[in-house]
Amino acid sequence: MSNNKIRGNVEGVSRSRLERLEALLQMQMDATLLLDPEIGKELVSFTSETGREVALFVDRRGRLIDLAVGDASTVGLGDHDLRRGSHRLAGVRCIHTHPGSSDQLSSVDLSALRQLRLDCMAVIAAAEPHRGSVAFLVPNDLGEPAIEVAGPMNYERLCSFAWKEPVDFLEKSHTASPVWTNKEEPEKAFLIGLTGTGEEEPLAELAQLAETAGALVVGAITQRLDKPDPATYLGSGKVRELSLAVQVARADLLIVDDEVSPAQQRRLENLTGARVVDRTALILDIFASRARTREGQLQVELAQLQYLLPRLMGQGIALSRLGGGIGTRGPGETKLETDRRHLRRRISEIEAELSQVRKHRERLRQSRQRFDMPLLSMVGYTNAGKSTLSSRLVDMYGPQGGPSPGGEDKLFATLDPTTRRIRVPGQFDFLLSDTVGFIRKLPHGLVRAFRATLEEIVAADLLLHVVDAAHSDAVEQMNTVEKVLSEIGAEDKPVITVLNKIDKLQSDTIDPMLVPKGAWVAVSAHTGEGLEKLLTMVTSLLPRQLVTVDALIPYEQGKMIDQAHRLGKVHCVKYQTDGILIGAEIPQALAGVWQKEGWTLTDGGNRE
Ligand SMILES: Nc1nc2c(ncn2[C@@H]2O[C@H](COP(=O)(O)OP(=O)(O)OP(=O)(O)O)[C@@H](O)[C@H]2O)c(=O)[nH]1
Ligand SMILES: [Mg+2]
């Protein structure tokens, strides 16, 4: 099944050295052995010569199905979907080398064993006499997977280790246990974060993000620190407490409330034995699962790869070894590219495709501007109610009527901007676009990657800043949104602050802290309260450059009257024998068209 390619970090390894490794992939070994001693010698000699770890994956028939080379803690696992075999375990074992004389399995090794349900995970020290250890999954009293390690032992004993016995025992004795069969079981996540003063539930939002990503939150620890510990994020004493708590809670995943460096991540992984994902990777993961349009998917994948690139450069993260789960999922249910050699190529491919998409969007925007249809953009913190409000307005005033996609009580329910037309009776039409929600500590790469989407905001004539007025952190959320707006150069746009969800407020009065300096209105997208007032405000605030014209329009161009009604204000219409006489205020661009057709009676300039 192999394509004879060695994966992972093979840069700088001589061709002949690689060919010797590749040749192994043609081999078959005695299925009863854990490892053929000759093959094992090839692996350790590779590691002693290059200083790089190598991992071999062998199936139950003794076929060598994959080989990967990596730095001390990065060995890729390839695209083999180990979880899809007919066995309860993966049906594949992993034997890998450690440079030097380290003959014990690391916590990352053990966590890979668990995550991938490997038949077993073995390590051999590259230094003579090549001692090693092997670990198996075994059922504990509760029928849950626990880990048993054999060794360290000498090389001969390791190679001939009766690996099949524990595997059979587990598969036979626990045929009924759901733990082994339920592949959709959520990852158990433990949260950590730093707190400032007086925050009531510092990790509430992180917990919501983790759940949105499909994890089950099993515990949380916070520490009051001004800034993260450079080595381990939390202080060293706290990390000891954490490591114990993670084990007790049987967490597979540790989620950090801030972005951490690759070194911090690796240390935390080694100290706790859980895979570590930071806030940025978590948000990117959610975005990846939410992106629906091609553009959205490209933007997220780009941000993910840019996040990964520097992390795969150094000694790296365990991500590529661990194969699956939160933080490793790309858009459209793909697995993220984690091979460094391919990463840069993929990044430039995406950038090229995105620039095409941007050009297309730019053309769209220009065609819209031809008649100056004003554009309103909803902005706001995630879950503020932008989509709900937008669909409510479309239901009430959209020309097509009918149901429209509403909101969801999930973070980042909306990722791709949707633009709808609103027609207010007796007023002009405008376009309303619903955009991606903002969040505290929004990953920077994401802001950059979502440039095209955010351009929609920058291009808007008026912003509706939607706020969940019933949220306990509403003020902080408003500040976050304002900060992002200024980051993308939209701070000078006219804004109406829409204090939403007033139906949920305990008292009738709005918290004065929420009342902004500029225009604002209190509404409920659910009950519809305040929406008319909002629209009145919109129509009076939309900055439009209207020019006053008198024109005589031929009858066959009667639709122009309709257009004048929709885009401007019509003062009088007279149906004469030679055409329709109209006096109106219309957008400059439309006036230009009328003038070119020779319909205007005055010079089309502004009389006022
Ligand atoms: N009680 C109440 N709930 C509301 C109101 N408006 C929205 N919601 C709820 O708030 C949740 C989030 O609404 P969405 O419209 O998805 O929020 P959003 O701002 O579009 O969120 P993202 O797309 O994730 O950024 C949903 O469960 C809505 O039903 C409101 O006026 N009152
Ligand atoms: Mg939304």
Side-chain angles (χ1 to χ4, degrees), residues 90-155:
V92 171
R93 58 190 183 275
C94 173
I95 299 123
H96 74 290
T97 57
H98 274 172
S101 55
S102 150
D103 53 12
Q104 306 209 11
L105 291 152
S106 70
S107 50
V108 174
D109 296 333
L110 299 181
S111 142
L113 169 70
R114 192 192 284 274
Q115 289 267 327
L116 297 171
R117 300 190 302 132
L118 294 170
D119 287 352
C120 67
M121 169 67 100
V123 65
I124 315 169
E128 299 267 11
H130 312 310
R131 288 173 66 80
S133 310
V134 57
F136 296 88
L137 288 171
V138 292
N140 70 5
D141 300 344
L142 300 168
E144 292 167 333
I147 289 174
E148 206 168 272
V149 180
M153 60 187 97
N154 70 34
Y155 186 66

Side-chain angles (χ1 to χ4, degrees), residues 201-460:
E201 283 182 275
L203 294 182
E205 182 175 272
L206 190 66
Q208 210 182 346
L209 285 169
E211 278 156 17
T212 303
L216 177 72
V217 176
V218 293
I221 284 186
T222 57
Q223 185 174 25
R224 220 171 126 179
L225 283 180
D226 294 334
K227 54 180 179 9
D229 183 290
T232 49
Y233 181 74
L234 298 179
S236 56
K238 208 62 176 176
V239 171
R240 275 194 293 280
E241 182 188 324
L242 171 69
S243 190
L244 191 67
V246 163
Q247 281 176 32
V248 171
R250 297 173 189 283
D252 329 288
L253 193 66
L254 185 65
I255 304 182
V256 189
D257 195 29
D258 293 276
E259 190 163 323
V260 291
S261 71
Q264 285 172 320
Q265 180 171 19
R266 198 173 60 248
R267 284 198 201 95
L268 279 173
E269 252 159 21
N270 287 332
L271 291 167
T272 62
R275 199 159 63 84
V276 172
V277 166
D278 66 12
R279 183 181 173 94
T280 302
L282 180 64
I283 293 177
L284 289 172
D285 192 275
I286 297 173
F287 270 61
S289 66
R290 292 289 156 102
R292 290 287 171 271
T293 64
R294 180 84 188 129
E295 183 184 11
Q297 295 187 336
L298 287 171
Q299 293 182 112
V300 183
E301 192 182 345
L302 183 62
Q304 286 183 300
L305 297 182
Q306 282 166 341
Y307 168 86
L308 271 182
L309 191 62
R311 288 172 164 76
L312 294 176
M313 286 306 188
Q315 279 131 313
I317 51 175
L319 175 130
S320 47
R321 178 188 288 177
L322 295 180
I326 294 168
T328 68
R329 307 177 290 202
E333 303 188 0
T334 56
K335 187 174 169 296
L336 274 182
E337 176 69 75
T338 48
D339 189 322
R340 277 168 49 191
R341 284 173 304 175
H342 300 147
L343 230 118
R344 286 188 200 282
R345 200 196 55 219
R346 181 77 192 126
I347 287 180
S348 33
E349 274 171 17
I350 298 179
E351 279 171 343
E353 199 174 329
L354 271 177
S355 94
Q356 290 302 316
V357 176
R358 276 186 194 126
K359 282 193 198 128
H360 174 69
R361 189 182 273 280
E362 186 53 35
R363 279 195 296 273
L364 265 184
R365 198 175 289 135
Q366 278 166 359
S367 70
R368 207 153 65 199
Q369 274 166 357
R370 276 193 310 161
F371 288 123
D372 281 355
M373 181 105 72
L375 175 65
L376 252 76
S377 219
M378 298 258 188
V379 295
Y381 209 79
T382 179
N383 219 37
K386 299 176 292 298
S387 300
T388 311
L389 186 61
S390 161
S391 61
R392 180 92 192 191
L393 289 172
V394 172
D395 287 345
M396 288 165 75
Y397 302 107
Q400 305 90 349
S404 47
E408 259 187 282
D409 195 10
K410 283 203 164 155
L411 301 185
F412 303 114
T414 308
L415 210 52
D416 302 304
T418 43
T419 304
R420 314 291 298 262
R421 184 193 287 190
I422 303 282
R423 174 174 295 177
V424 187
Q427 292 287 355
F428 51 88
D429 286 12
F430 61 85
L431 296 171
L432 180 64
S433 103
D434 179 17
T435 56
V436 53
F438 298 168
I439 192 159
R440 195 169 59 95
K441 304 183 197 165
L442 188 74
H444 268 274
L446 206 56
V447 178
R448 250 182 291 120
F450 270 73
R451 211 178 67 206
T453 307
L454 298 172
E455 273 167 11
E456 204 72 2
I457 297 175
V458 181

Side-chain angles (χ1 to χ4, degrees), residues 60 77 81-93 110-121 137 145 167 170-171 178-183 185 322:
R60 291 202 185 157
L77 226 173
D81 191 349
L82 299 179
R83 291 165 191 240
R84 228 168 260 156
S86 54
H87 310 291
R88 324 211 111 237
L89 290 171
V92 171
R93 58 190 183 275
L110 299 181
S111 142
L113 169 70
R114 192 192 284 274
Q115 289 267 327
L116 297 171
R117 300 190 302 132
L118 294 170
D119 287 352
C120 67
M121 169 67 100
L137 288 171
V167 166
L170 182 124
E171 292 194 333
V179 175
W180 301 97
T181 48
N182 186 1
K183 291 163 198 159
E185 197 194 345
L322 295 180

